[in-house]
Amino acid sequence: MFRLALLCYVITYAFGITKALTFSNAYLSPRTLERAIRRQTQYIILHTTEAEARSSLRKLSSNGEAHYCVDRDGRVYRIVNRDRVAYHCGTSMWNGIRNLDDISIGIEVVGYHDRALTATQYRTLRELILVLQKLYGVKDANVMPHAQVAYGTPNRWHPKSHRGRKRCGMGYATPEVRDLLGLKERWLIDPDVRARRLVIGDTFLAKVLYGGKGSLPYRLPRTVKIPAKKSQSAPQSLATSTHKTLTRTFGRALSHKTTREYIIRKGYSAWDIARDAYNSASTLYIFPDGKRLSGDKINNWDTLAVGTRVILGDAEDSGSPLQTLAVGQHPRQLIGEAIHGKDTWYIRPTGGRVQGSRLNDRQLTTLPPGTKILVGYTMGGPVTSRRLPSHICPTRWDAPDTFYLIPGRELQPAGKMDMRRVPSGTYIFYRH
């Protein structure tokens, strides 16, 4: 702890910003020393927590999901040591490179993707970015929002891999916000869409990310002044005062303090509302007849009634990448064109596993109900006394979206595993 504090002092003193940044170790993740050392840093990825500070900080700390979190008052919380891997990007790709967790630093900011931050947060975020850019040599264009690098694998709504899995932090890509953050360059196109590795899955998001001024769905605080230029010393102090953040939400959304409520209608599905959290236990569906079910209890998404209310949980939740085959369903209804993929895996209820590329069309129709499906995964193993999970997938062995197939048991997420007692013969499924 002392070494971390000393390092922070040296860094902030060197860049002349000791009075601007306030760091805290109150939510330093217990997982930080378990994480692999990051060998290079090419990107700084900016997030919005989609929840208030208390729940966000608890979740980030418990799972080690960011390196820093900026609270509304400008306090910066360290979550994972900056030289280690944090699980903040999830399924991600930029310019053909996947799994950006391995090559990026993640900064969470307490707030929402469709609301302005506080003036203090804009100032603090600018100064923190400047420090990290100087340390790692990250160019302005590669300071990017999570929404810009996250992508979704094929699902029941999108038959192809697509950009638009999240809107997290989307405003950071706009000219107005980048001016406030002292970032002079930005990406004007999506290289993965241009190369046809991905398709656009959210046209509104694409407009925000690559449109010009005026593409924000909210207004910035009027009291934030834009500094003339980025300098070697501390940026100009941005004026702060009590102000009312003006928000204009989109769709049929109603903004609440801790939850957000939406209504399913024609052309506006559960995926449009919740993205990957559509099947999460924290997402609640209230049907027109009053029946209530959490996302993890629903199997038939194709018949979800118009008028169903959807209430999202308090914290940003990625849901589960695991799909379950229901009675009478064909895998294509769940994962679109990924049914024969080399990185698609089918895990039968009996525990057997098979790669999508090894199944023909007839075999796919005979998969039993209850079969689990993972898309975009590599299988590693088996675990032995000399070959531990950390040897098999060094940077992903305890990630929230990593799964373990123990002989004679169902697929288990890493978070429910006792990593000290992983049985020999266990196979690991992790994002490649």
Side-chain angles (χ1 to χ4, degrees):
M1 195 72 70
F2 174 77
R3 291 175 64 190
L4 280 174
L6 179 61
L7 178 62
C8 172
Y9 174 80
V10 171
I11 292 171
T12 54
Y13 180 81
F15 292 108
I17 56 174
T18 50
K19 294 182 180 179
L21 294 179
T22 303
F23 289 86
S24 171
N25 290 330
Y27 287 91
L28 192 65
S29 175
R31 296 183 177 272
T32 188
L33 295 181
E34 300 173 357
R35 296 295 165 77
I37 299 294
R38 194 176 59 258
R39 295 186 178 182
Q40 57 178 305
T41 304
Q42 297 182 25
Y43 300 93
I44 297 172
I45 305 301
L46 308 178
H47 304 254
T48 42
T49 59
E50 305 302 313
E52 294 305 310
R54 181 177 297 180
S55 60
S56 298
L57 285 164
R58 283 200 304 260
K59 180 174 178 287
L60 293 171
S61 178
S62 176
N63 297 331
E65 293 180 348
H67 294 94
Y68 300 98
C69 182
V70 180
D71 205 347
R72 294 191 186 278
D73 62 1
R75 182 178 296 271
V76 181
Y77 292 94
R78 296 188 192 86
I79 308 297
V80 170
N81 290 358
R82 62 175 178 81
D83 61 339
R84 294 180 179 268
V85 173
Y87 301 145
H88 59 98
C89 280
T91 309
S92 55
M93 179 195 302
W94 190 253
N95 211 10
I97 300 174
R98 299 174 189 263
N99 194 18
L100 266 63
D101 286 339
D102 291 344
I103 55 173
S104 67
I105 277 188
I107 303 174
E108 289 274 358
V109 184
V110 175
Y112 300 87
H113 70 275
D114 57 354
R115 304 180 195 177
L117 307 178
T118 68
T120 302
Q121 283 176 308
Y122 285 120
R123 182 193 66 222
T124 300
L125 186 56
R126 176 190 174 97
E127 293 165 349
L128 179 58
I129 289 170
L130 179 59
V131 169
L132 295 173
Q133 283 186 291
K134 290 179 183 296
L135 285 171
Y136 295 105
V138 177
K139 62 184 182 180
D140 284 2
N142 286 346
V143 180
M144 306 164 69
H146 187 197
Q148 199 162 10
V149 301
Y151 79 96
T153 52
N155 59 35
R156 56 176 48 83
W157 294 286
H158 294 280
K160 297 182 178 181
S161 292
H162 52 278
R163 191 74 77 192
R165 181 172 66 86
K166 287 184 176 294
R167 290 180 174 177
C168 171
M170 63 183 186
Y172 301 125
T174 63
E176 297 97 327
V177 174
R178 296 185 79 79
D179 283 346
L180 292 180
L181 299 180
L183 301 170
K184 304 306 180 185
E185 299 175 342
R186 69 183 186 116
W187 287 84
L188 299 178
I189 52 92
D190 186 325
D192 298 303
V193 172
R194 184 175 63 176
R196 299 185 180 180
R197 288 181 285 264
L198 301 174
V199 299
I200 294 176
D202 185 339
T203 54
F204 178 83
L205 175 63
K207 178 182 177 182
V208 172
L209 295 178
Y210 303 106
K213 287 186 179 293
S215 58
L216 279 173
Y218 53 80
R219 296 182 186 177
L220 295 172
R222 295 178 180 177
T223 53
V224 179
K225 296 180 181 179
I226 301 175
K229 62 180 179 179
K230 183 160 63 173
S231 64
Q232 186 72 11
S233 59
Q236 298 177 31
S237 183
L238 304 181
T240 59
S241 65
T242 303
H243 67 276
K244 181 179 180 181
T245 298
L246 301 177
T247 302
R248 184 176 73 230
T249 56
F250 38 83
R252 296 281 295 278
L254 300 174
S255 297
H256 296 278
K257 186 174 182 180
T258 58
T259 62
R260 292 181 150 195
E261 181 178 312
Y262 300 77
I263 298 176
I264 289 176
R265 62 184 189 276
K266 186 176 180 181
Y268 195 55
S269 68
W271 187 88
D272 291 312
I273 293 170
R275 296 301 198 269
D276 279 6
Y278 75 91
N279 62 351
S280 169
S282 68
T283 301
L284 178 65
Y285 293 84
I286 305 176
F287 298 90
D289 62 2
K291 181 180 179 181
R292 295 170 174 246
L293 283 178
S294 57
D296 61 329
K297 303 297 183 184
I298 299 175
N299 288 324
N300 195 346
W301 295 93
D302 298 325
T303 60
L304 213 58
V306 170
T308 297
R309 292 160 55 202
V310 185
I311 300 179
L312 304 184
D314 187 42
E316 184 186 17
D317 193 337
S318 296
S320 174
L322 202 61
Q323 303 273 9
T324 302
L325 199 62
V327 176
Q329 271 189 328
H330 188 280
R332 188 181 297 277
Q333 295 173 259
L334 298 179
I335 60 172
E337 296 180 3
I339 53 175
H340 293 300
K342 291 182 179 179
D343 58 359
T344 297
W345 292 90
Y346 299 90
I347 296 90
R348 295 186 175 90
T350 55
R353 76 254 174 216
V354 62
Q355 208 168 6
S357 59
R358 295 181 177 273
L359 294 177
N360 58 37
D361 290 338
R362 185 188 62 80
Q363 291 170 321
L364 284 170
T365 62
T366 62
L367 289 172
T371 295
K372 306 292 185 182
I373 308 174
L374 289 169
V375 178
Y377 276 77
T378 295
M379 184 183 75
V383 172
T384 67
S385 59
R386 294 185 177 182
R387 194 169 182 236
L388 303 177
S390 57
H391 299 150
I392 295 170
C393 47
T395 64
R396 305 294 299 173
W397 61 276
D398 65 341
D401 57 359
T402 293
F403 292 86
Y404 285 73
L405 183 59
I406 301 172
R409 292 174 59 183
E410 288 189 353
L411 208 59
Q412 297 288 323
K416 294 185 178 180
M417 293 286 298
D418 182 349
M419 293 302 179
R420 298 167 299 179
R421 298 181 177 85
V422 179
S424 292
T426 296
Y427 284 87
I428 306 175
F429 294 86
Y430 58 96
R431 298 277 194 190
H432 58 68

